[in-house]
Amino acid sequence: MLRRNIRLRREYLYRKNLEGKERLLYEKKRKIKQALEDGKPIPTELRNEEAALRQEIDLEDENTAVPRTHIDDEYAHAMERDPKILLTTSRNPSAPLKQFVKELTIVFPNAQRMNRGGQVISEIIETCRAHDFTDVILVHEHRGVPDGLIVSHLPFGPTAYFGLLNVVTRHDIKDKKAIGTMPEAYPHLIVNNFSTKLGQRTANILKHLFPVPKPDTKHIVTFANQSDYVSFRHHLYEKDGGPKSVELKEIGPRFELRLYQVKLGTVDQTEAQIEWVIRPYMNTSKKRKFIGD
Amino acid sequence: MVNPEEAGLQVLRRLKSTDPPTWLAPNPSLAQDARAASLHLFSSLQPFAPKSPFDRLLVDGFDAEQIWQQIDLQSQPLLSGLRRELRRFEKNPAEISDLFGGGEASEGKGKGRGGGVDDLGGEGMEVDGFDEFDEDGDSDGEEDGEGGAEERGVEGGESGESEEGEEERNDGGIEDKFLKIKELEEYLQKDEAREYGLEDGSKKNKEKKTVASDSDEEEEEDEEEEEGDDDDDDDDDDDDDELGEFDVDDEDDGGMGKLGSARYEDFFGGKKEKVAPRKYRSSDGLESSTDDEGEENGADGNKGNHNLSTHEKELLDLKAKIEQMEKSNLEPKTWTMQGEVTAAKRPKNSALEVDLDFEHNVRPAPVITEEVTASLEELIRNRILEGHFDDVEKPPSLPTKAPREIKELDENKSKRGLAEIYEEEYAQRTNLASAPLSFSDELKKEASLLFKKVCLKLDALSHFHFAPKPIIEDMSIQANVPALAMEEIAPLAVSDAAMLAPEEVFAGKGDIKDETELTQADRKRRRAKKKRINKAEATKRMAKKGRETALNRGEGKEE
């Protein structure tokens, strides 16, 4: 187990190292391809390597044609198996927070909840790796109101830190009959308006918390971005009749997510490289939108 | 008819004697009594009422509102009549003593005025009693109150019989209980003193009187106020009447009449408190010695009693202001005006009182309104209808090795020898036209047959016009060329003989100069040379032409 981890980490670092050289190669191949398509003469600097590169180009398929960055590499193999999520809280959670975590456990399919007790973060991550979890989600609160969400992808994947706003939990809604039970089917995902690179990255992180759904399921989870605030909504829909009418019934908690940091390591790696962090003190930060639109 | 009267009086007495707490709960017997009492009172007042449509009060089957309306109808004109009478009596008190033989029962709590008549009640019974009753909120409604009020009418003293002070009334009959000319005069005096400095008020009094009489008419018809009480306080407290008049003026909107048994003091505290700070603030107040009111003197005390013109007074004010501003400039500024201030430099908790403004560089969190939710749901609906979801896709399975072609090996011995096979291949390569069709496979034969049929049909479509195949020149270098063809391409040796001698490459002499290197003289030389050559040629041509024409002419002539 330990040796496997060490080997994986070394591979990861090696690939990260190679990235620079691979990028160069990719660029050269791209130039040659371009020249061939246009019918123009091959640029003179590539004349020597042209033959070899040509061969490689011919042998490429769609997987190898794209340059691999170590950044999104984490999700390369994630799609091959269903995600397995562990949910837990900060220490000494209040009752409303515990209820919220219970709800989230049902929202994410294939998720499990664990009491925090007095465990240290690194312990948690170790156990998760041992049991083959793909993601860990930590929920923080302020006086009963959930206010923080940390999503960490496990095999040294990225960690996204979100702040929660405008949280409405199912427990707040007193009328139990109106809200009904939560379905446990794998949901369809709607991810809207994540147009920048960082937005794509965040969308990836959020998407890979969910497994591949059946195409005809009526269960929908929405992440809609509006000026850097991502709204999470959870609906069941019904298509009554032909005239293109869709009945939406909102179930599940609703909250706004605000991304404030993305780190290129797991939660316990405090020295990991920071991919992006919010800078609210900059004068232009009011005008800039980082996630989309 | 004694009996009904007796009965009525009895009922009234009964009502009067019941305990106050019993009024709080609805009591049918009390209600009955009250109705009877109202009936009695109504009928007893009937002879005096100038014009009332009802002969007797209709109480059976009517509710409180309706009974009250009837009573109101009767009492309103009655009241105005009574007022007139009273005024008349006030003017000549002698009449009253004539009427009643000198015995007045002053049952009012306050300083009763002459003639509190039992039956008619004072004016005080009217509004105040009703108002008090309204406050009680008895469930039985107004009839009880009305009866009670009329009973208690004379006692309505606490809520203000309208009063005069002990002062004599020597003004004309313009005044009523609302307007007191004297008080108006005093107030005006005081105000003028404050504004202009203290002066003898005698001259002004007369002016004020005329002013007062002018304003009298408007105030006559006003509803009564509880200003009687205010007057009490004024006179009692020896305070300046200014505020009293203020209050009166302030409360002198028509709406206050019936509504407000709530008074100014209830909300804003007694006038004593208000007066005290003003007294402190007055500078060098010169108290007027007139009457018992205190004086405020807002004017500048320094100039004292001198008459100052308005302009001078303004100048003084301005000067004072300037002085004050200069003084405040010399003092240290408040902490809000001093640049950077730490917590130690300002008083404790003072930042809480000040309105601080920060520039926020973050967009505020979105408030989730109905419209936001609606727009989100709209988006979701559209996506559902399109069927466009952003699910995680299953990765495409990596292509395994390409399926090998499974060749069927023919196990039969080949009918043609190897040499023959090679021969055929050679022939194919060098001369395509004569390549024989050699298909080994049955299926291939069949396929070719079918294809030929299709081709025939297609050709028929194009009327058998032969369209030659377009020649595509293949520029690729074929490496699979037989060795023979390769051999004779390049000469193995090149003899010198074939090479050109330098003179044959280029023949020229002298200094060879480029166009750009020529000097002016060189250019001239070249031009001259060109001209010479041209001239030589031209003469040659001319000579030739001349000979020809001469010949032609000669021939022509000969012929």
Side-chain angles (χ1 to χ4, degrees):
Chain A
M1 175 67 202
L2 216 66
R3 275 201 274 168
R4 175 163 158 258
N5 278 344
I6 293 171
R7 175 180 55 86
L8 285 171
R9 201 172 293 152
R10 232 188 289 137
E11 277 178 15
Y12 170 69
L13 288 171
Y14 173 69
R15 248 181 288 123
K16 191 171 157 189
N17 204 11
L18 279 185
E19 192 187 306
K21 295 184 219 158
E22 269 191 28
R23 180 135 233 127
L24 272 171
L25 258 179
Y26 171 72
E27 278 300 306
K28 287 185 190 166
K29 283 189 209 165
R30 198 184 56 80
K31 276 196 210 145
I32 291 179
K33 257 192 267 180
Q34 198 68 33
L36 286 172
E37 274 170 41
D38 293 345
K40 290 203 182 128
I42 298 170
T44 49
E45 61 264 19
L46 298 169
R47 251 186 301 166
N48 292 337
E49 310 133 7
E50 179 244 323
L53 287 176
R54 260 258 209 93
Q55 257 198 343
E56 280 185 45
I57 292 172
D58 289 335
L59 296 172
E60 267 179 3
D61 62 354
E62 63 267 11
N63 265 352
T64 43
V66 180
R68 292 257 156 213
T69 54
H70 70 281
I71 285 184
D72 237 339
D73 204 10
E74 298 110 349
Y75 291 106
H77 301 285
M79 302 191 280
E80 290 157 12
R81 34 180 204 139
D82 276 352
K84 194 170 166 200
I85 302 178
L86 179 78
L87 276 150
T88 184
T89 64
S90 49
R91 290 194 188 180
N92 292 331
S94 64
L97 182 67
K98 285 195 267 197
Q99 289 165 357
F100 182 63
V101 175
K102 259 200 282 184
E103 289 169 21
L104 280 186
T105 320
I106 310 180
V107 169
F108 297 111
N110 206 5
Q112 289 172 23
R113 188 192 69 83
M114 184 176 76
N115 285 336
R116 176 62 187 270
Q119 297 160 33
V120 190
I121 293 267
S122 44
E123 285 174 21
I124 299 177
I125 303 287
E126 280 308 311
T127 38
C128 287
R129 285 220 190 95
H131 292 273
D132 248 356
F133 279 90
T134 59
D135 292 272
V136 170
I137 299 184
L138 294 163
V139 188
H140 290 249
E141 65 160 343
H142 168 68
R143 294 185 66 105
V145 176
D147 76 339
L149 194 81
I150 303 175
V151 178
S152 183
H153 188 64
L154 265 200
F156 18 83
T159 312
Y161 295 78
F162 296 97
L164 294 178
L165 305 154
N166 298 340
V167 180
V168 176
T169 63
R170 281 164 59 93
H171 281 82
D172 291 344
I173 300 162
K174 299 298 174 189
D175 191 357
K176 295 289 170 160
K177 293 225 177 92
I179 201 142
T181 52
M182 286 223 264
E184 299 220 9
Y186 293 176
H188 275 303
L189 280 183
I190 293 179
V191 174
N192 180 49
N193 197 11
F194 284 75
S195 40
T196 64
K197 267 193 96 218
L198 177 70
Q200 286 298 328
R201 178 85 161 133
T202 319
N204 246 347
I205 295 175
L206 291 170
K207 271 206 275 191
H208 286 280
L209 294 169
F210 295 88
V212 185
K214 280 198 211 155
D216 58 348
T217 162
K218 303 260 181 259
H219 188 194
I220 289 214
V221 165
T222 309
F223 293 98
N225 169 42
Q226 179 70 32
S227 66
D228 283 357
Y229 287 93
V230 180
S231 308
F232 170 89
R233 299 283 183 274
H234 190 200
H235 291 276
L236 266 179
Y237 75 87
E238 252 174 42
K239 274 191 164 159
D240 10 304
K244 304 235 162 187
S245 67
V246 174
E247 271 277 329
L248 282 179
K249 179 176 172 222
E250 181 158 1
I251 44 167
R254 76 152 64 153
F255 45 85
E256 316 295 315
L257 294 152
R258 189 166 177 232
L259 180 72
Y260 65 84
Q261 196 176 49
V262 178
K263 270 196 170 172
L264 287 171
T266 54
V267 209
D268 58 340
Q269 294 169 350
T270 47
E271 350 57 47
Q273 181 190 351
I274 299 179
E275 183 182 336
W276 179 79
V277 70
I278 193 177
R279 298 189 192 280
Y281 43 79
M282 264 176 67
N283 283 340
T284 53
S285 59
K286 208 174 195 175
K287 307 175 199 166
R288 299 178 69 184
K289 299 199 178 159
F290 294 98
I291 294 188
D293 188 51
Chain B
M1 301 252 287
V2 186
N3 271 347
E5 271 196 35
E6 271 263 327
L9 283 171
Q10 257 185 14
V11 170
L12 278 172
R13 264 182 232 118
R14 245 209 318 269
L15 281 178
K16 191 176 172 192
S17 63
T18 52
D19 269 334
T22 48
W23 292 104
L24 290 174
N27 198 329
S29 64
L30 277 177
Q32 205 58 28
D33 288 344
R35 280 178 203 235
S38 324
L39 193 65
H40 166 73
L41 285 168
F42 192 90
S43 36
S44 53
L45 280 173
Q46 185 51 35
F48 305 100
K51 34 179 164 142
S52 88
F54 304 104
D55 286 339
R56 51 188 298 282
L57 190 66
L58 309 164
V59 288
D60 301 323
F62 287 93
D63 69 348
E65 189 60 35
Q66 289 165 326
I67 296 177
W68 164 245
Q69 292 292 346
Q70 295 174 44
I71 294 168
D72 207 20
L73 266 175
Q74 187 205 46
S75 57
Q76 285 291 2
L78 194 59
L79 281 174
S80 34
L82 285 173
R83 254 179 253 137
R84 259 184 279 115
E85 294 283 308
L86 269 173
R87 251 176 266 128
R88 193 160 58 81
F89 286 144
E90 279 169 3
K91 273 186 254 178
N92 359 349
E95 274 191 41
I96 305 173
S97 38
D98 290 341
L99 272 175
F100 293 105
E104 306 107 57
S106 61
E107 296 170 15
K109 282 187 193 166
K111 304 150 193 169
R113 77 158 65 113
V117 182
D118 209 353
D119 233 341
L120 303 175
E123 284 181 39
M125 68 101 158
E126 14 52 11
V127 179
D128 315 320
F130 293 157
D131 287 348
E132 283 211 286
F133 190 71
D134 287 346
E135 276 190 288
D136 290 348
D138 211 338
S139 57
D140 266 359
E142 281 86 335
E143 338 98 274
D144 290 340
E146 203 261 337
E150 289 196 44
E151 263 282 305
R152 293 179 276 138
V154 189
E155 303 168 358
E158 104 203 39
S159 47
E161 313 264 303
S162 63
E163 309 271 88
E164 302 301 288
E166 289 105 354
E167 293 123 10
E168 284 184 357
R169 317 189 52 214
N170 43 17
D171 297 322
I174 322 162
E175 298 188 4
D176 60 352
K177 86 181 206 77
F178 173 62
L179 172 70
K180 308 277 180 297
I181 300 291
K182 278 259 161 142
E183 283 174 17
L184 183 60
E185 288 169 9
E186 280 151 13
Y187 164 66
L188 286 170
Q189 216 177 11
K190 241 165 282 135
D191 205 34
E192 297 236 322
R194 181 178 67 80
E195 206 177 327
Y196 297 116
L198 194 56
E199 291 171 14
D200 257 330
S202 54
K203 219 196 309 181
K204 311 267 168 133
N205 261 342
K206 292 183 190 133
E207 295 169 12
K208 284 179 203 160
K209 258 195 203 171
T210 48
V211 172
S213 46
D214 287 342
S215 53
D216 224 359
E217 279 78 42
E218 329 169 312
E219 288 159 350
E220 224 176 14
E221 299 307 318
D222 277 349
E223 295 270 29
E224 300 94 339
E225 288 285 334
E226 290 86 20
E227 55 91 31
D229 201 18
D230 303 342
D231 299 346
D232 277 351
D233 286 354
D234 281 344
D235 301 323
D236 285 346
D237 297 342
D238 294 351
D239 277 346
D240 58 340
D241 203 53
E242 203 174 326
L243 282 167
E245 291 293 346
F246 269 142
D247 287 345
V248 164
D249 291 342
D250 286 347
E251 291 172 8
D252 185 25
D253 2 323
M256 271 299 281
K258 299 245 186 233
L259 281 189
S261 52
R263 312 221 200 94
Y264 180 83
E265 292 94 52
D266 297 340
F267 295 107
F268 297 111
K271 287 188 296 285
K272 284 186 199 170
E273 304 163 22
K274 276 198 108 184
V275 172
R278 291 182 75 171
K279 269 195 172 169
Y280 290 148
R281 281 204 308 270
S282 68
S283 58
D284 300 334
L286 293 171
E287 308 256 61
S288 131
S289 50
T290 60
D291 296 3
D292 26 350
E293 288 87 5
E295 278 284 342
E296 268 191 25
N297 195 355
D300 187 18
N302 292 339
K303 296 268 172 161
N305 288 337
H306 301 299
N307 278 357
L308 296 171
S309 69
T310 330
H311 176 64
E312 281 170 357
K313 287 210 182 71
E314 275 175 27
L315 281 180
L316 279 176
D317 274 341
L318 212 60
K319 237 178 142 191
K321 267 193 215 151
I322 291 173
E323 259 188 55
Q324 201 236 335
M325 286 171 77
E326 283 177 354
K327 211 168 89 166
S328 66
N329 267 349
L330 289 174
E331 285 168 2
K333 296 182 189 170
T334 54
W335 70 271
T336 47
M337 286 298 158
Q338 298 169 357
E340 279 189 17
V341 178
T342 59
K345 293 191 188 141
R346 55 180 166 84
K348 190 172 179 183
N349 285 342
S350 53
L352 294 172
E353 293 140 24
V354 177
D355 214 1
L356 297 171
D357 186 26
F358 295 99
E359 210 183 273
H360 296 280
N361 265 334
V362 288
R363 255 170 265 113
V367 179
I368 303 299
T369 56
E370 289 283 331
E371 297 116 33
V372 175
T373 324
S375 66
L376 276 172
E377 297 204 344
E378 196 53 45
L379 162 82
I380 296 173
R381 264 192 213 105
N382 287 340
R383 288 289 204 103
I384 293 172
L385 288 171
E386 289 168 24
H388 173 44
F389 302 115
D390 303 294
D391 301 327
V392 182
E393 312 261 326
K394 261 221 169 335
S397 51
L398 287 171
T400 51
K401 284 190 233 169
R404 285 207 184 158
E405 278 184 41
I406 301 167
K407 277 196 176 160
E408 288 178 27
L409 281 178
D410 203 14
E411 269 132 21
N412 302 331
K413 184 181 172 192
S414 169
K415 294 193 178 78
R416 303 151 75 228
L418 198 60
E420 284 164 3
I421 294 173
Y422 283 154
E423 195 187 327
E424 272 173 30
E425 279 184 14
Y426 177 73
Q428 262 180 41
R429 257 189 227 106
T430 50
N431 192 356
L432 283 161
S434 63
L437 298 164
S438 56
F439 291 114
S440 47
D441 216 350
E442 274 291 323
L443 281 169
K444 284 188 189 171
K445 255 193 215 151
E446 216 182 301
S448 69
L449 208 66
L450 286 166
F451 186 63
K452 275 202 188 113
K453 279 193 189 149
V454 169
C455 279
L456 188 70
K457 288 191 182 150
L458 288 172
D459 288 343
L461 281 173
S462 63
H463 302 291
F464 290 108
H465 283 292
F466 173 61
K469 235 200 260 180
I471 300 166
I472 305 167
E473 300 226 320
D474 190 11
M475 295 282 278
S476 63
I477 302 166
Q478 288 185 12
N480 276 340
V481 176
L484 264 167
M486 280 275 278
E487 273 179 28
E488 276 149 29
I489 287 175
L492 289 169
V494 178
S495 65
D496 276 352
M499 291 204 318
L500 284 168
E503 304 88 3
E504 289 164 350
V505 172
F506 174 74
K509 46 183 164 168
D511 195 9
I512 307 191
K513 276 185 177 179
D514 193 31
E515 271 281 341
T516 50
E517 292 168 328
L518 296 170
T519 60
Q520 202 61 9
D522 289 332
R523 283 182 218 271
K524 278 189 166 174
R525 217 177 289 130
R526 287 198 186 194
R527 188 174 158 76
K529 187 175 175 185
K530 232 196 277 177
K531 279 184 118 175
R532 254 183 278 129
I533 293 168
N534 275 342
K535 202 173 175 189
E537 277 183 11
T539 46
K540 236 199 247 172
R541 251 187 282 127
M542 286 302 286
K544 217 170 144 190
K545 250 191 180 170
R547 259 187 279 124
E548 276 181 15
T549 49
L551 270 170
N552 288 345
R553 254 188 267 123
E555 281 173 16
K557 265 185 188 169
E558 279 173 10
E559 279 176 0

